[in-house]
Each structure stands twice: as structure tokens, then as C-alpha cells.
Amino acid sequence: MSTLATYFLSHGGGPWPFMRAEFGHTYDKLDASLRDLPRQIGGKPKAILVVTAHWETARFTLSSSARPPMIYDYSGFPPHTYQIQYPAPGDPALAGRVRALLQAAGHAALLDGQRGFDHGTFSAMYPAFPEADVPIVQLSLQHGLDPLTHIEAGRALRPLRDEGVLIVGSGLSYHNLRQFNGHGAPASHAFDAWLRAVMALPPQQRSAALLDWENAPSARAAHPRAEHLLPLMVAAGAAEDEAAHEVYHEDDFFGALAVSSFRFGAAAG
């Protein structure tokens, strides 16, 4: 497998792939984009590193269990969504490799042998790899949510792309849960338009713009906290010299919101 592209995926809300009856066609576009991911990368990767918006630690931390448990990090959903299993294996060796790369770049990193798959991981990976047969390691965000720190972490992880490891930043391009309705539409559209324009910039200009994301239109209305945007910084940093490509976009998510996902680097073939 040639050098893999990296991804920032807007992963949707809660355990949506397991709630088709409840959500109807709400997630059809996102589902189609995720199902297309193996085609874009030319098949199944050797392993996947998921930078998850749902895990923040004082130092970068890797899930290192060979058999990760499940974390149902949501509330108010139907009982069956607390029984979901996504039995993809972990990869302790990859966790160690990622830790070594981060440490070599000056970033302290730890291993966590108890951490399970949160919904930012299993809800994004299930549509793409429903057989759960690709090993997955999760990488936390670092407290402080500093954009440069996360872009630098992505830079450090660049070698993984030549080792068959797919780097996925799992977040949401709009994440203001208190306005996750028509009231959030103006901010989501303003920020999403800025983000899509930034993704079209030459790579070095793109990095500079991402570092200054708080000055984007409606930035803090779209992201009161940056945790669902920061996985994008890691994915972008790991493919910093390569063009970005929009792989998912809709203007009427939940009837009103604008959301997007991006690939950094060329598709296979």
C-alpha cells in the first residue's frame, strides 16, 4: 500500500449508525462518505490511529489494550445503544510506535491499557469497516487544546502513513450542542464556509490559517470548546504539504447545520 492519506471526519452524534429507525435519512450522506473510505485508500489499512475528540489528557496518551472495551459516552439514547459492540482489536505495538514518534518530537506520551472505544471512534469506524477487523489505537487530545501542539503532533506521526497506518481525526466541524438546531445555523454556515475556504488554500497557508482559527467567522459560536476541531489539526499536520479534499458536506444537517469532512492527500489510484 502506498502512502496513505489522512482524514478529518465529522463523526455525527452519539451512536447514530445503530439508530437507523430513529434517525431515518438524517445520516445518509455521512454514512455514504464513510462507506467510501476504503475505496479512497485502496482497501483496508494495516491499522488505524484515531485521534478522538472524546478523550483529553494532560499528556498525549495512547490506548494500548489488545482487546479494547466499549465506552458509552452519551446519555438519553435507547437501551440497545448501551449494548453496542465493535470488537476491533487494539494494537499494543502500534501504540508503542506512536508513543516513540511523539517522544522523539519532544511530546511526552503515555500508554493506557484500560481505555476503550468511545463513540467518536466506533460510530465513525463502523460504517467504514463494519467487520471490525482492522486494529485500532486511539490517541487523546492534550489538555489546553493548543492548535500548534496538535499540528506538531501530526507532523511527528507522518511516518505512519508509509507503514500502512490510517490516521483519522474524529470530531465535528460544528460542535455547539446547545445550538444543535436551527438556532445554530448561522454560526455553522459561517464557520463551515471559512473552513472550506481554508482547506482550498496552499498547504502552508492552510496551516497558518488553522493556527488562527479562533479569529474565523463565528469561531467560538461554532466551537465553544475546541475539542471537536483539534483532531483536524493532527490530520492536517500529518499531511502538511499535501492538498486537502472535501469528502463530505451538507448544508442541512439536522435540517439546518453545515458540516464537512476532509481528506489530506490524494486518493489511491
Side-chain angles (χ1 to χ4, degrees):
M1 184 175 287
S2 60
T3 300
L4 290 172
T6 72
Y7 286 81
F8 170 70
L9 302 178
S10 285
H11 63 228
W16 66 267
F18 306 90
M19 296 178 62
R20 304 291 184 172
E22 291 87 348
F23 281 124
H25 297 289
T26 298
Y27 283 100
D28 283 359
K29 290 181 182 178
L30 178 57
D31 183 63
S33 73
L34 294 172
R35 289 180 183 274
D36 191 50
L37 197 153
R39 181 198 64 80
Q40 293 183 33
I41 65 173
K44 291 180 180 178
K46 177 182 177 182
I48 303 169
L49 177 67
V50 177
V51 185
T52 172
H54 293 270
W55 189 19
E56 297 176 42
T57 55
R59 298 176 179 85
F60 286 118
T61 305
L62 286 305
S63 61
S64 58
S65 171
R67 290 174 169 263
M70 301 292 289
I71 298 176
Y72 307 114
D73 54 339
Y74 39 77
S75 60
F77 286 90
H80 78 270
T81 64
Y82 299 90
Q83 304 298 321
I84 293 167
Q85 293 296 313
Y86 185 69
D91 190 334
L94 174 58
R97 169 69 170 145
V98 175
R99 181 189 187 192
L101 288 170
L102 290 170
Q103 290 178 328
H107 300 283
L110 304 174
L111 302 179
D112 184 336
Q114 305 300 315
R115 179 73 185 187
F117 294 147
D118 60 57
H119 81 265
T121 296
F122 67 77
S123 289
M125 293 296 96
Y126 174 74
F129 304 102
E131 296 176 357
D133 56 354
V134 181
I136 296 175
V137 169
Q138 293 178 134
L139 172 63
S140 72
L141 302 176
Q142 185 169 290
H143 285 332
L145 304 177
D146 175 59
L148 180 58
T149 298
H150 290 80
I151 286 179
E152 288 177 341
R155 291 169 182 160
L157 301 178
R158 166 66 180 79
L160 297 175
R161 300 174 55 209
D162 294 318
E163 300 169 13
V165 178
L166 177 66
I167 299 173
V168 171
S170 179
L172 270 172
S173 61
Y174 172 83
H175 195 259
N176 185 340
L177 294 183
R178 293 185 178 182
Q179 299 290 314
F180 216 73
N181 49 42
H183 297 297
S188 78
H189 284 261
F191 185 77
D192 194 74
W194 172 86
L195 187 61
R196 296 170 77 197
V198 166
M199 293 298 104
L201 292 172
Q204 293 304 318
Q205 293 181 37
R206 180 181 72 214
S207 293
L210 289 175
L211 289 173
D212 194 39
W213 77 271
E214 288 185 272
N215 288 316
S218 298
R220 281 300 180 182
H223 291 280
R225 293 188 77 249
E227 84 285 349
H228 274 71
L229 185 65
L230 265 291
L232 181 149
M233 308 295 178
V234 181
E240 195 167 27
D241 296 327
E242 298 171 61
H245 308 268
E246 183 177 287
V247 295
Y248 161 68
H249 173 75
E250 53 186 309
D251 288 319
D252 56 354
F253 186 59
F254 275 89
L257 304 174
V259 288
S260 300
S261 298
F262 303 96
R263 183 185 73 240
F264 299 90

